[in-house]
Amino acid sequence: MRTRIVDALTAVEEVKDGDTVLVGGFGMAGMPVELIDALIEHGAGDLTIVSNNAGNGDTGLAALLAAGRVRKMVCSFPRQSDSWVFDGLYRAGKIELELVPQGNLAERMRAAGAGIGAFYCPTGVGTPIAEGRETRVIDGREYVLEYPIRGDVALIRAHVADRLGNLVYRKTARNFGPVMATAATITIAQVSKIVEVGELDPETVVTPSIYVNRLVEVA
Amino acid sequence: MRTRIVDALTAVEEVKDGDTVLVGGFGMAGMPVELIDALIEHGAGDLTIVSNNAGNGDTGLAALLAAGRVRKMVCSFPRQSDSWVFDGLYRAGKIELELVPQGNLAERMRAAGAGIGAFYCPTGVGTPIAEGRETRVIDGREYVLEYPIRGDVALIRAHVADRLGNLVYRKTARNFGPVMATAATITIAQVSKIVEVGELDPETVVTPSIYVNRLVEVA
Amino acid sequence: MALDKNELAQLVAGDIPDGAYVNLGIGQPTSIARYLSPESGVILHTENGMLGMGEVVPAERADWDLTNAGKQPVTELPGAAYFHHADSFSMMRGGHLDVCVMGAFQVSAGGDLANWHTGAADAIPAVGGAMDLAAGAKQVWVMMTLFTKSGEPKLVPACTYPLTGKACVTRVYTEVATFHITPEGVRVTATYGIGIEELATRLDMPLLA
Amino acid sequence: MALDKNELAQLVAGDIPDGAYVNLGIGQPTSIARYLSPESGVILHTENGMLGMGEVVPAERADWDLTNAGKQPVTELPGAAYFHHADSFSMMRGGHLDVCVMGAFQVSAGGDLANWHTGAADAIPAVGGAMDLAAGAKQVWVMMTLFTKSGEPKLVPACTYPLTGKACVTRVYTEVATFHITPEGVRVTATYGIGIEELATRLDMPLLA
């Protein structure tokens, strides 16, 4: 259905307490900072956040965590030099952590977006990550069964959108955006610029408009 | 390892009797006609061909079939108005057919390229395609377990390559090329033009050079 | 009076919600595109790898790198996007298309779809993307004649032809009547030149009005 | 004499085949890039979504949309390509990278790798892409000091730390010796300032020469 062009606060108005929110970005590259700020202002809590990292410094995702809105983090690399907000919450037992290898995080969201029920993945075999999970040997190699990660909402950052919602990204800020856009019921994209329909080359569109429900221009 | 720029006959010289060859294209769009002609000249037989269709008219894939080089076709749609070569071989019992829904064909090759051991897919549940296959109910929905399709060789057609082997495609001729390129031990791409390294925009590369082993320029 | 093919295509087109992402199957459903206005914002998907597909064009204007799923040359509309087959079918399988419209040999009262194989022993099987669409689109609509040339109903209590997908069809559009397949049963939503009693008799199944 | 960090990086760089597609792990392995000549045609992958990655640049020249897996700003080389995370990890998991070089806490004689978690109860676990690389690259090389600061060997009969991957490491590069992990056992391929007998004694494992 048609992509709506709105302001950040309107864009996040449908987020509900208890939602699973996919948050793009790898470190700060591709992090939808203004959408996260709007989510904080919006006030939804008891959230499960799926993102590669667990916040840097005191802004963005870290601020959402500091505001006590997050029940659980699903991520591959929470521990960083400037992840003091998460570190404190974790050590105080105030936040759950599901640690997922980075590729599994991406592939499990990809599966959600692609209608795949589950998949056998070689990553993590023989490690604590695989403990308690179903495994199977296929063609002589051992795999772990992995399930999709779906979002109620995805907050992503792209570079340029057209008014239909087609997206292009910029350099390694592309990272999780295109995958998360497919895996959420409502995908909200923050972009630097919105152009007219027809201004993007159809060969270069990375996220087709079908995956984008709300567009927010943040110049 | 480095992509080699060669002529069509040199490109296919490593194809062996009994190989599985992935052949790009949807109808004639993206069909690597000159590579198929080279494969016919090369002479390898007892091949398994994986391609969406089973040849059109008397050229390309149809000519390979007519030359008696193909033991088995794996495809989604063999029957077309001009698939008389395949039709004749099939009715004469001279060729095996594995019919795979089009999306499963793509996803099974994608799985091969992505290191996925198998995946649960909703397509074909309750149909003859699922007969004899393992099924599982996940979250209330039934899925069929599907396994990867790997190629010894992939023959694909793209639009422009740089000398490293990065590829861009043209319109719907893109179809199976990017997926097959990831799923074969040796990927051979026929392109209309080879440009210098640096002439393709890194944001618009569809198949990165890592997936391309041989490049053949067919102006 | 029964609808002709163009009237039927127009009827289906009118029921497609504004802004919907839609896949129109090979053959008759392709003609629905002619009745979709640009203002509707409906965006057409073709499974060979494109959103924003335009109209079918004659061979003399063809770009053979730009075809629909039936391999006919088409145009590209502003705002189009190209993608490869795995991405295209992920879009379908992942439930992102709002509506797909396909032809059918048979549809069952429970929404089972049979449209890929007559079951004839000597037929060369070919399925293409039909099973993927049946399994993946949010709504699967069927556009067909209600009866075969020999007068057999194609909306049936249970399909006798091999299935394409189970319990997937939500609407059936035919030249003499349109139906919604609901959990309560098959509901007739309109008739054209046939009474509902005659319809129920000829279909040999209970119908909700 | 034992190698310093730069000499070790140079040694590893020299062993990377021309034209290889390579992922260099966060930390020490990143420095290998400095010793790869453009003529070698080695192409660097970074798991956050790029092939053709160039050098690390100082903050004043940073483009923060262009970073490596360690979130340091880098450059883009001619012939680069960007892709999203699922595609990037498919490239890794699918066995398309020729070599990856990672640091390690421990490597076992059988090639098991432990480099993500010390097992300490109060440590916050973080794995990133290490398990994906361990499971996916054609060859996994480890670059590390052979002993901890307190003198404990890091090449061990069996890892005591939680594993990153099983039987995946094929080569170990350290400041005092380099090793190939083979089906027959651990083979010493070079030593720097240490005798092979002393090495075997300190490592407490049989070594092939």
Side-chain angles (χ1 to χ4, degrees):
Chain A
M1 292 296 162
R2 274 200 182 120
T3 303
R4 286 168 44 203
I5 301 172
V6 291
D7 62 60
L9 204 55
T10 306
V12 301
E13 68 187 4
E14 290 150 299
V15 182
K16 303 174 304 299
D17 287 355
D19 271 0
T20 294
V21 183
L22 316 179
V23 179
F26 180 82
M28 293 308 289
M31 180 67 66
V33 177
E34 282 76 5
L35 294 181
I36 297 169
D37 288 348
L39 185 59
I40 295 171
E41 189 177 343
H42 170 61
D46 193 31
L47 301 173
T48 294
I49 299 290
V50 182
S51 196
N52 191 64
N53 305 108
N56 303 77
D58 291 302
T59 58
L61 200 45
L64 185 72
L65 294 170
R69 305 287 172 70
V70 182
R71 184 176 64 75
K72 180 178 177 184
M73 278 297 316
V74 180
C75 69
S76 89
F77 212 86
R79 186 188 65 223
Q80 298 182 89
S81 59
D82 57 354
S83 60
W84 48 77
V85 173
F86 175 83
D87 298 2
L89 290 168
Y90 183 79
R91 293 192 195 286
K94 289 185 174 165
I95 196 163
E96 279 180 63
L97 170 65
E98 180 182 346
L99 190 77
V100 179
Q102 197 169 334
N104 288 10
L105 197 61
E107 188 71 12
R108 289 173 64 186
M109 289 189 282
R110 193 257 174 202
I116 300 298
F119 59 93
Y120 288 99
C121 184
T123 303
V125 166
T127 78
I129 293 286
E131 276 168 23
R133 287 171 187 261
E134 190 176 333
T135 61
R136 180 187 292 223
V137 175
I138 300 169
D139 259 352
R141 185 163 195 203
E142 192 175 347
Y143 295 88
V144 184
L145 186 61
E146 296 286 347
Y147 291 90
I149 297 176
R150 281 186 193 83
D152 297 294
V153 180
L155 308 182
I156 64 170
R157 192 169 89 198
H159 182 45
V160 179
D162 70 17
R163 300 181 70 86
L164 281 180
N166 289 304
L167 304 180
V168 296
Y169 298 82
R170 189 165 177 279
K171 303 190 184 285
T172 59
R174 185 184 302 198
N175 57 67
F176 283 95
V179 184
M180 289 180 170
T182 71
T185 307
I186 300 173
T187 292
I188 306 170
Q190 158 180 344
V191 297
S192 305
K193 194 177 172 193
I194 300 176
V195 301
E196 293 304 315
V197 174
E199 288 191 43
L200 294 179
D201 178 354
E203 300 283 3
T204 71
V205 169
V206 174
T207 295
S209 59
I210 193 169
Y211 294 118
V212 181
N213 303 92
R214 311 276 178 268
L215 277 181
V216 178
E217 192 176 34
V218 179
Chain B
M1 291 296 164
R2 275 200 180 118
T3 303
R4 285 168 46 203
I5 300 172
V6 292
D7 61 62
L9 204 54
T10 307
V12 300
E13 68 187 3
E14 290 150 300
V15 181
K16 304 175 304 298
D17 287 352
D19 271 1
T20 294
V21 182
L22 316 180
V23 178
F26 180 82
M28 293 308 289
M31 180 66 66
V33 176
E34 281 75 5
L35 295 181
I36 297 169
D37 288 347
L39 184 59
I40 295 171
E41 189 175 344
H42 170 61
D46 194 30
L47 302 173
T48 294
I49 299 289
V50 183
S51 196
N52 190 64
N53 304 108
N56 302 76
D58 291 301
T59 58
L61 200 45
L64 185 72
L65 294 171
R69 305 287 173 68
V70 182
R71 183 176 64 75
K72 181 179 175 182
M73 277 297 317
V74 180
C75 68
S76 88
F77 212 87
R79 187 189 65 224
Q80 298 183 88
S81 60
D82 58 353
S83 61
W84 51 75
V85 174
F86 175 82
D87 298 0
L89 290 167
Y90 182 79
R91 293 194 196 282
K94 289 184 173 164
I95 196 163
E96 279 179 64
L97 169 65
E98 180 182 347
L99 189 76
V100 180
Q102 198 170 333
N104 287 10
L105 197 62
E107 188 71 12
R108 289 173 64 187
M109 288 190 281
R110 192 258 173 199
I116 300 298
F119 59 93
Y120 288 99
C121 185
T123 303
V125 166
T127 79
I129 294 287
E131 275 168 24
R133 288 172 185 260
E134 190 175 334
T135 61
R136 181 188 293 226
V137 175
I138 300 169
D139 259 352
R141 187 166 193 199
E142 193 175 346
Y143 296 87
V144 184
L145 186 61
E146 297 285 348
Y147 291 90
I149 297 177
R150 282 187 190 82
D152 297 294
V153 180
L155 308 182
I156 64 169
R157 191 170 90 199
H159 183 46
V160 179
D162 70 17
R163 300 182 70 87
L164 280 179
N166 289 303
L167 305 180
V168 296
Y169 298 81
R170 189 165 177 279
K171 303 191 186 283
T172 59
R174 186 184 300 198
N175 58 67
F176 283 95
V179 183
M180 289 180 169
T182 70
T185 307
I186 300 172
T187 292
I188 306 170
Q190 158 180 344
V191 298
S192 306
K193 195 179 172 191
I194 299 176
V195 300
E196 293 305 315
V197 175
E199 287 190 44
L200 293 180
D201 178 353
E203 300 283 4
T204 71
V205 169
V206 174
T207 294
S209 59
I210 193 170
Y211 294 118
V212 180
N213 303 93
R214 312 276 177 268
L215 276 180
V216 178
E217 192 176 33
V218 180
Chain C
M1 208 172 80
L3 303 174
D4 67 23
K5 286 183 174 182
N6 291 331
E7 287 166 336
L8 185 58
Q10 195 167 4
L11 181 70
V12 179
D15 282 358
I16 293 176
D18 281 5
Y21 288 87
V22 176
N23 184 295
L24 300 175
I26 295 175
Q28 202 55 31
T30 302
S31 66
I32 294 166
R34 290 205 300 266
Y35 301 100
L36 293 168
S37 71
E39 298 71 41
S40 72
V42 170
I43 294 179
L44 295 183
H45 171 263
T46 182
E47 57 259 46
N48 46 321
M50 180 186 196
L51 278 171
M53 179 175 66
E55 60 183 355
V56 176
V57 293
E60 62 270 21
R61 283 168 48 206
D63 175 345
W64 292 106
D65 282 348
L66 178 51
T67 61
N68 65 15
K71 293 161 188 124
Q72 299 168 296
V74 294
T75 62
E76 165 194 298
L77 298 180
Y82 295 103
F83 30 82
H84 63 59
H85 248 74
D87 280 351
S88 185
F89 281 80
S90 292
M91 196 179 282
M92 295 156 69
R93 196 191 309 109
H96 304 284
L97 292 175
D98 296 300
V99 177
C100 86
V101 187
M102 287 193 273
F105 298 145
Q106 290 179 327
V107 176
S108 83
D112 292 353
L113 172 66
N115 73 353
W116 72 286
H117 198 302
T118 59
D122 68 335
I124 297 178
V127 62
M131 288 186 184
D132 307 278
L133 280 167
K138 283 180 195 158
Q139 290 204 54
V140 176
W141 296 357
V142 162
M143 179 185 186
M144 65 179 189
T145 57
L146 188 54
F147 301 99
T148 64
K149 282 172 190 165
S150 57
E152 299 295 312
K154 294 165 70 177
L155 180 58
V156 292
C159 294
T160 55
Y161 288 165
L163 293 191
T164 306
K166 277 174 75 84
C168 56
V169 178
T170 54
R171 297 189 186 185
V172 178
Y173 290 86
T174 77
E175 78 287 10
V176 291
T178 58
F179 307 86
H180 286 190
I181 310 276
T182 76
E184 293 75 39
V186 177
R187 185 178 307 281
V188 180
T189 49
T191 59
Y192 303 94
I194 190 169
I196 195 155
E197 293 77 16
E198 186 188 347
L199 201 57
T201 306
R202 289 194 64 186
L203 292 180
D204 194 23
M205 64 165 70
L207 295 174
L208 306 172
Chain D
M1 209 172 80
L3 303 173
D4 67 24
K5 286 182 174 183
N6 291 331
E7 288 166 335
L8 185 58
Q10 193 166 7
L11 181 70
V12 179
D15 282 358
I16 292 176
D18 281 4
Y21 288 86
V22 177
N23 183 296
L24 300 175
I26 295 176
Q28 201 56 31
T30 301
S31 66
I32 295 166
R34 291 204 299 266
Y35 301 98
L36 293 168
S37 70
E39 298 72 40
S40 71
V42 171
I43 294 179
L44 295 183
H45 171 263
T46 182
E47 57 260 46
N48 45 322
M50 181 186 194
L51 278 171
M53 179 175 66
E55 62 184 354
V56 175
V57 293
E60 61 271 22
R61 284 169 46 207
D63 175 344
W64 292 106
D65 282 347
L66 179 51
T67 62
N68 65 15
K71 293 163 187 120
Q72 299 169 295
V74 294
T75 62
E76 165 194 298
L77 297 180
Y82 296 104
F83 29 83
H84 63 59
H85 248 75
D87 280 350
S88 184
F89 281 80
S90 292
M91 196 179 282
M92 294 157 71
R93 194 191 311 110
H96 305 283
L97 292 174
D98 297 299
V99 177
C100 86
V101 188
M102 287 192 274
F105 298 145
Q106 289 180 326
V107 176
S108 83
D112 293 351
L113 172 66
N115 73 352
W116 72 286
H117 197 302
T118 60
D122 68 336
I124 296 178
V127 62
M131 287 186 184
D132 306 277
L133 280 167
K138 282 179 195 158
Q139 289 204 53
V140 176
W141 296 358
V142 161
M143 179 185 186
M144 64 178 189
T145 57
L146 189 53
F147 302 98
T148 64
K149 282 170 188 165
S150 58
E152 299 294 314
K154 294 165 69 178
L155 180 59
V156 293
C159 293
T160 56
Y161 287 163
L163 294 191
T164 306
K166 278 175 74 82
C168 54
V169 178
T170 55
R171 296 189 186 186
V172 179
Y173 291 87
T174 77
E175 78 287 10
V176 291
T178 58
F179 306 87
H180 286 190
I181 310 275
T182 76
E184 294 74 40
V186 178
R187 183 179 307 280
V188 180
T189 48
T191 58
Y192 303 95
I194 190 170
I196 196 154
E197 294 78 13
E198 186 189 347
L199 200 58
T201 306
R202 288 194 64 188
L203 292 181
D204 192 25
M205 66 165 70
L207 295 173
L208 307 172

